[in-house]
Amino acid sequence: MDPHVSIVIPVYQDQPGLNRCLEALSSQVEIDLADVEVIVVDNGHTPEIGISQDFPFSVQLLWCDKKGAYAARNVGRRAAKGDVLVFIDADCWPDRHWLRAGLAALMPMGEPIVVGGNVLFQRNPVPSAVELYQILMGFGQERSIKDLHFSATANLFVARDLFEKVGDFNEELLSGGDREWSWRAINSGAEIRYAPDAIIWTSPRRTLRSAIIQARRVAGGRRVLGDDQDIVRNVGLERIQPSGTISGKLKSIFLGNDMSVWQRCRVFCVAIVIRLVHDLEVIRLRMGGKPERR
């Protein structure tokens, strides 16, 4: 009998993260895990990812030679046998009620519904300035779904039939493939629904280097999407490149939180650096530079 749910996890050189994700999946409640298959797609190869223990669900390990998480997700979903496809990232770990809540939000089956669950940051006891900045800004899944009409693939539920109707993720996008796929789903007649109780956790970036890499990747993804006139025509440039002023971030940093004055000053410096890096990357791309896959 084929499984009802297929969970696809792309992983890039993160064995510890994958192990934690699989352990959390094995602790899901109010659902028969024998009815679940997990498909892990190794997109790095060096060091090679392994599955070293048994779980209450079946686990399949595949490889994707084409760089990029969207290509890896496509490999996983093509091998999936479930009626429902669920996407989660290897550096995330779900709450015990995550799977039940996400599937409940997807009901009734047969309706063209895409569900994006909640994504929360886990705060370290002594967070760095970069961590504080990321926690303060938030992951933004609710706003992405309600205002920008897309769900991050870190926490995505969709019926297999609907996914096949919409088509695969765009493997040429280095970032923003979740946006592009969600907008195609909406154009096909689907509704994207936010599920606050379908919670996964992830760690905020701790170092300035990792935050800079993220900022450059996001800038590159927005640039590619903005160059696609069909996408711009369908969804509007304001969704591809949402306005975010530094003054708005300053208000978040200096008002309405429990940070010390010293922490606020450090977070303010991080915000300035990240904004500068983003703007410089936009200039580099406009001058003919290529988006980086990092």
Side-chain angles (χ1 to χ4, degrees), residues 90-101:
D91 62 353
C92 300
W93 59 98
D95 174 82
R96 295 174 68 235
H97 302 276
W98 167 71
L99 194 52
R100 176 196 56 77

Side-chain angles (χ1 to χ4, degrees), residues 11-16 18 41-50 61 63:
V11 56
Y12 177 71
Q13 298 181 353
D14 188 9
Q15 184 73 60
L18 175 65
V41 185
D42 184 355
N43 196 218
H45 301 340
T46 307
E48 192 171 288
I49 293 297
L61 177 60
W63 289 266

Side-chain angles (χ1 to χ4, degrees), residues 148-166:
L148 304 177
H149 306 294
F150 79 89
S151 170
T153 40
N155 193 356
L156 180 70
F157 294 72
V158 59
R160 178 192 183 94
D161 290 345
L162 177 57
F163 189 98
E164 291 178 346
K165 176 183 177 182
V166 176

Side-chain angles (χ1 to χ4, degrees), residues 100-108 113 115 193-195 198:
R100 176 196 56 77
L103 293 174
L106 201 61
M107 298 300 170
I113 298 169
V115 170
R193 182 177 296 174
Y194 177 58

